[in-house]
Amino acid sequence: MPYPWPTQATSSFATLARLHLVGELVQAVLGVLDIERATLVGHSLGGGVAMQFAYQFPERTDRLILVSTGGVGREVNPVLRAVSLPGADLMLSSLSLPGMRSQVGLFTRLIKLLDTDLGQDAAELLNVVDALPDATSRSAFISTLRSVVDWRGQVVTMLDRCYLAEGMPTLLLWGSRGSVVPVRHAYGAHAAMPGSRLEIFQGAGHFPFHSDPARFRALVEDFIRTTAPADWSQERWRELLRVGRPSSGVGELDSAYHRAVERDRREASERNAT
């Protein structure tokens, strides 16, 4: 369901084509596995893939569980912006050199000791790089990243299609100190998706399922147990498409953030009072 930002017209068609093909790939995999409908769990870029699938194939989507997902705002870690630039393959391959590796390890420990948000995720992000053993893997990773991120930040958004998730049970899981996609995007997504649930992992970074796996599993299992699968209707879907999205625009992340924060504070106060 993520779509290009309006100012990104030059790359719109390429981006849409990539996302459309990824959605079809997920459908093909489900077909091979003989799975008719599924609850989709997507992390980071995978969250965008899950939403794209839900938009293309709502009749096959029971629920959405989005974890630190992209596509809510432009902001993204500067390191990922750098990887989208020319020469990124050489930069990533240099990280595996013995001398460079020790320096990167020292820097990682330092920023963690300084208690920075990037320090929360640095080791995990390096593990992602380590999982790219050769030039082919690195090239595929960079190509995928460039389809959604450039030097200015994220170039796709799901906010202009969130209204299509009406009636789709959706759970949003986010770390309060995520350095890749900031937590304010969680509140923006929550405000843009009425009926969604939002759970924040305090002190966690971009990988909340590693920070507190027991809580993560419990939340996912509870969400699936306490919600009914989406009741998809072709007539309702057609009506949503005809009416279009509400008047709030994709540039209103700040107001959405503040509305959602205020709502969460009010609900927390009410729970404490009872």
Side-chain angles (χ1 to χ4, degrees), residues 16-212:
L16 284 171
R18 286 177 181 270
L19 293 171
H20 180 80
L21 290 174
V22 171
E24 291 188 346
L25 176 61
V26 174
Q27 181 195 218
V29 171
L30 292 179
V32 170
L33 297 175
D34 198 24
I35 297 174
E36 186 63 29
R37 294 171 60 97
T39 293
L40 302 179
V41 184
H43 171 244
S44 196
L45 175 59
V49 171
M51 294 203 70
Q52 175 65 21
F53 179 88
Y55 171 64
Q56 287 180 247
F57 309 104
E59 73 281 4
R60 304 195 65 176
T61 309
D62 282 342
R63 304 170 187 81
L64 282 173
I65 300 175
L66 307 177
V67 187
S68 303
T69 190
V72 183
R74 282 191 180 278
E75 293 169 282
V76 72
N77 191 285
V79 173
L80 293 183
R81 296 187 186 194
V83 173
S84 72
L85 297 174
D89 183 68
L90 291 175
M91 180 181 71
L92 290 179
S93 61
S94 69
L95 294 178
S96 61
L97 298 175
M100 180 65 73
R101 188 64 181 179
S102 61
Q103 294 180 39
V104 171
L106 180 62
F107 174 73
T108 300
R109 290 191 293 273
L110 176 61
I111 59 177
K112 189 170 183 63
L113 285 173
L114 293 175
D115 198 31
T116 64
D117 288 347
L118 180 57
Q120 302 293 318
D121 293 321
E124 299 276 12
L125 294 175
L126 284 176
N127 288 338
V128 172
V129 176
D130 289 340
L132 307 173
D134 51 39
T136 301
S137 300
R138 290 191 296 271
S139 178
F141 171 76
I142 293 170
S143 177
T144 302
L145 178 69
R146 286 173 177 167
S147 70
V148 292
V149 172
D150 67 13
W151 62 272
R152 291 162 291 194
Q154 297 187 67
V155 297
V156 294
T157 178
M158 70 177 188
L159 293 183
D160 61 348
R161 293 296 184 271
C162 273
Y163 72 95
L164 294 172
E166 180 181 321
M168 177 75 66
T170 302
L171 174 64
L172 303 167
L173 303 172
W174 233 275
S176 67
R177 301 190 61 187
S179 67
V180 177
V181 182
V183 70
R184 65 192 296 266
H185 289 196
Y187 292 102
H190 185 38
M193 304 177 77
S196 61
R197 297 186 191 179
L198 172 61
E199 295 286 345
I200 303 297
F201 287 67
Q202 293 299 325
H206 190 58
F207 305 86
F209 43 85
H210 287 165
S211 301
D212 193 344

